[in-house]
Amino acid sequence: MTVKDVIDGFRESPEENPERDAYADMLFQEAIRISMELNNQYHTTEQIREIMGRLTGKKVDESFRLFPPFYTDFGKNITIGRDVFINSGCHFQDQGGITIGDGSLIGHNVVLATINHDLSPLNNRENHYVPIVIEEHVWIGSNATILPGVTIGRWAVVAAGAVVTKDVEEYTVVGGVPAKEIRKVKK
């Protein structure tokens, strides 16, 4: 079983699959172990990039910067572009997939949540996994929350404390709960 099998199982299969569940648990435990390593002692910038590479399972560009602590439940579904900065206290719930484009800035305590629960009691709060895409040069302010399925367009700005429930057009500033357009960014 591969990571892709586990991910596809999250997205498509509501029935129990013991093999998939055991492998998923192993990956969750690995993410916890690596996150604890990242968050509980000092690391140089180079060491942080190496740890994030192990956490995501992908090479992290040498321009990447992160101020710990950083939290994720899975790690392997995060893709980080070049010249990305993530400030401290962020929580990435990445089982549905998170892509962060080049030049993006993510403020303190931002939550990226790719999982939601079914509302119907008949479905027993079944999980639904939908990716978040942050395009190039996006700025997400402190304490913002981005919900499943949202795409934030190039050069957009999400104001501090916003809860983004819908796609954000490029060159747009959004804020509030739920986030609404505040103005356009001059090109």
Side-chain angles (χ1 to χ4, degrees):
M1 181 170 283
T2 67
V3 172
K4 182 178 180 336
D5 294 331
V6 172
I7 295 163
D8 290 345
F10 285 142
R11 292 185 182 148
E12 299 167 4
S13 176
E15 66 264 7
E16 292 295 315
N17 180 334
E19 183 181 340
R20 183 201 74 210
D21 292 346
Y23 189 62
D25 188 57
M26 180 187 74
L27 292 174
F28 293 135
Q29 293 303 315
E30 177 184 56
I32 292 168
R33 181 181 48 75
I34 295 170
S35 295
M36 293 291 288
E37 176 187 348
L38 174 67
N39 295 333
N40 289 306
Q41 66 185 53
Y42 171 79
H43 299 284
T44 66
T45 303
E46 294 77 19
Q47 290 169 326
I48 289 172
R49 282 194 289 265
E50 185 274 326
I51 294 168
M52 284 299 289
R54 284 191 283 125
L55 185 60
T56 63
K58 302 169 189 82
K59 182 174 178 1
V60 175
D61 191 80
E62 62 186 38
S63 61
F64 173 74
R65 293 171 297 137
L66 170 103
F67 289 170
F70 174 81
Y71 306 95
T72 187
D73 55 359
F74 198 69
K76 301 296 188 244
N77 295 326
I78 300 171
T79 302
I80 302 168
R82 293 185 339 263
D83 199 27
V84 168
F85 174 69
I86 300 173
N87 218 325
S88 62
C90 290
H91 294 252
F92 288 11
Q93 188 184 47
D94 69 296
Q95 292 176 53
I98 295 171
T99 302
I100 303 170
D102 295 346
S104 291
L105 307 171
I106 300 178
H108 290 92
N109 303 315
V110 167
V111 173
L112 303 180
T114 66
I115 305 170
N116 206 347
H117 300 282
D118 203 298
L119 293 176
S120 172
L122 297 174
N123 294 326
N124 195 26
R125 299 284 189 245
E126 177 184 326
N127 288 341
H128 297 279
Y129 306 89
V130 187
I132 291 172
V133 176
I134 299 167
E135 295 183 349
E136 297 80 25
H137 304 286
V138 168
W139 176 17
I140 301 175
S142 295
N143 296 303
T145 299
I146 314 300
L147 295 181
V150 168
T151 295
I152 301 176
R154 298 172 54 242
W155 292 98
V157 177
V158 175
V163 177
V164 183
T165 61
K166 297 179 181 174
D167 290 353
V168 176
E169 293 181 18
E170 61 182 29
Y171 299 96
T172 302
V173 178
V174 298
V177 179
K180 298 195 181 329
E181 183 177 323
I182 295 171
R183 65 185 176 109
K184 294 290 187 185
V185 174
K186 292 182 181 181
K187 296 181 187 180

